């Protein structure tokens, strides 16, 4: 039987510095991560971060603090932040505090869970070797995603992370039998509205829950929206026993909001200015994404890479939690090769013959080897020209350039910009196309014929 909430305690505000609020209590001192309310009707939500003394606490505000003044009353709730969960959330858009932001009716009697929860116990976790197919050629071939695990989309600004996440939603939500949950952390406000409208128009909103902590909100709200979304995902996994597809855009913004909170709390920064608790905070979030014996949470996460530096602490700490890493290349994006997946940097723990099968493994290895050899030959081509290469090397270059173009793909979510109808390509069609290109079946076709198509049958039909 769970313990009853501790008795509510009143205190008063000592100081307000933007999103940082100091408060003093004469009775019980609120615990760390306990929620406090202040302002008119308790509308200002605070979370205790530090104990300054036996009577004073320092809090981070999850809402605006405008109008809050020294001496104002503050009330300890005796418990941490909570969020609504359950089937009533389907088709709705919420913020990090669990408040509806889609102008619809209130959630009514939806159950409420704390946003801070312990990860699934090790003995309750299960691992599987089932592949989560996306219909995107470059990902399914070179970095297959694992059902019930975590995958990351890494890239700098403007290389297509959000577009790829949106396409994954479009391709998988229609076929996915479980619940889809989208969590936007620190993203642009218009992206939330556009995504909501697109999913409503596609007819998949009724099996989707959306959480947003947008970039115009205080750092505390952005820092906690991921935890709120995970509590909702865990409810569907544990109570409803339904598989959950969790899409997060963007994990770097979670790290960044944690860095802002850490700075506001006065902690000494670590390497490259990140918070000293970066690894712990990221692990607290990532380790809650796990599969139980009855249902799974599969997560795909966009990860912004500052200055395209893959050694940045935010990227390296995220890598360690993932089973598949899809790296997006600015160089490929500049050549118009979309999706700009780097075939040599992207990888997956699933890409072994025991999991994906001998044929898939062999084709993926051959594609990587051909593209790697082409990469090595580029300097010679730039200095001496293609004519100076041997016949074997010229054949490798021909195959590599055709493979690069075949691994491009028109997206459903970009039809309005490109005018090209989107394609959903099965893994079998992808493997068949790559095998035929490696066997030089298309050496008499122009490279352009393989650009922005679905299966290779489109080349023969043209």
């Amino acid at each position: 039987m769970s313990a009853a909430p501790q008795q509510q305690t009143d205190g008063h505000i000592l100081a307000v510095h933007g999103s940082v609020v100091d408060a003093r209590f004469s009775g019980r001192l609120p615990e760390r991560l306990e929620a406090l309310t202040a302002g008119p009707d308790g509308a200002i939500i605070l979370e205790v971060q530090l104990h300054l003394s036996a009577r004073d606490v320092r809090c981070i505000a999850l809402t605006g603090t405008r109008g809050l003044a020294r001496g104002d009353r503050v009330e300890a709730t005796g418990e941490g932040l909570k969020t609504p969960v359950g089937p009533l959330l389907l088709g709705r858009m919420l913020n990090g505090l669990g408040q509806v932001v889609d102008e619809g009716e209130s959630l009514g009697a939806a159950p409420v869970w704390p946003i801070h929860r312990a990860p699934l116990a090790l003995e309750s976790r299960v691992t599987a070797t089932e592949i989560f197919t996306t219909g995107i050629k470059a990902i399914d071939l070179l970095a297959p995603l694992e059902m019930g695990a975590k995958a990351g989309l890494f890239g700098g600004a403007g290389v297509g992370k959000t577009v790829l996440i949106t396409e994954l939603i479009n391709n998988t939500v229609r076929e996915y039998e479980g619940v889809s949950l989208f969590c936007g952390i620190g993203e642009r406000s218009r992206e939330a509205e556009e995504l909501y409208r697109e999913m409503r128009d596609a007819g998949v909103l009724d099996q989707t829950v959306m959480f947003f902590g947008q970039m115009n909100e205080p750092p505390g709200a952005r820092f906690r929206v991921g935890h709120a979304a995970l509590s909702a995902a865990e409810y569907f996994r544990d109570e409803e026993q339904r598989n959950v597809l969790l899409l997060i855009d963007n994990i770097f913004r979670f790290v960044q909001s944690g860095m802002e909170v850490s700075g506001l709390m006065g902690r000494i920064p670590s390497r490259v200015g990140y918070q000293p608790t970066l690894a712990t905070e990221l692990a607290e979030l990532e380790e809650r994404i796990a599969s139980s014996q009855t249902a799974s949470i599969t997560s795909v996460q966009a990860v912004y890479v500052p200055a395209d530096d893959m050694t940045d602490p935010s990227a390296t700490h995220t890598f360690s939690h993932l089973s598949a890493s899809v790296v997006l290349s600015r160089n490929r994006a500049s050549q118009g090769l979309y999706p700009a997946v780097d075939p040599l940097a992207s990888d997956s723990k699933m890409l072994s013959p025991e999991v994906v099968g001998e044929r898939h493994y062999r084709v993926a290895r051959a594609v990587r080897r051909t593209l790697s050899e082409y990469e090595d030959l580029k300097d010679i081509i730039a200095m001496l020209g293609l004519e100076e290469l041997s016949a074997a090397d010229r054949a490798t270059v021909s195959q590599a350039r055709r493979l690069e173009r075949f691994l491009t793909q028109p997206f459903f979510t970009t039809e309005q910009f490109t005018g090209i109808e989107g394609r959903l390509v099965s893994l079998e069609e992808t493997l068949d196309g790559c095998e035929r290109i490696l066997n030089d079946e298309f050496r008499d076709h122009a490279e352009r014929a393989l650009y922005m198509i679905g299966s290779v049958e489109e080349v023969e039909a043209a």
Side-chain angles (χ1 to χ4, degrees), residues 162-180:
T162 299
V163 171
L164 199 51
I165 279 275
T166 310
E167 186 70 6
L168 281 168
I169 293 172
N170 182 84
N171 289 4
T172 57
V173 168
R174 294 172 192 265
E175 307 296 328
Y176 196 66
E177 295 179 357
V179 174
S180 300

Side-chain angles (χ1 to χ4, degrees), residues 33 84 88 97 105 137 142 170 178 226 254 312 339 412 419 434 456 462:
L33 301 184
L88 288 177
L97 296 173
E105 59 186 31
K137 291 183 284 189
L142 300 170
N170 182 84
F254 167 76
D312 187 89
F412 292 98
C434 290
V456 287

Side-chain angles (χ1 to χ4, degrees), residues 7-51:
Q7 185 178 1
Q8 292 188 344
T9 309
D10 290 349
H12 64 274
I13 302 296
L14 286 179
V16 181
H17 303 285
S19 293
V20 180
V21 179
D22 292 348
R24 173 165 291 174
F25 292 84
S26 55
R28 180 187 68 84
L29 193 69
E31 296 180 4
R32 188 174 175 274
L33 301 184
E34 187 172 328
L36 313 180
T37 58
D41 303 320
I44 297 175
I45 309 297
L46 312 173
E47 185 180 64
V48 177
Q49 291 286 321
L50 294 173
H51 287 167

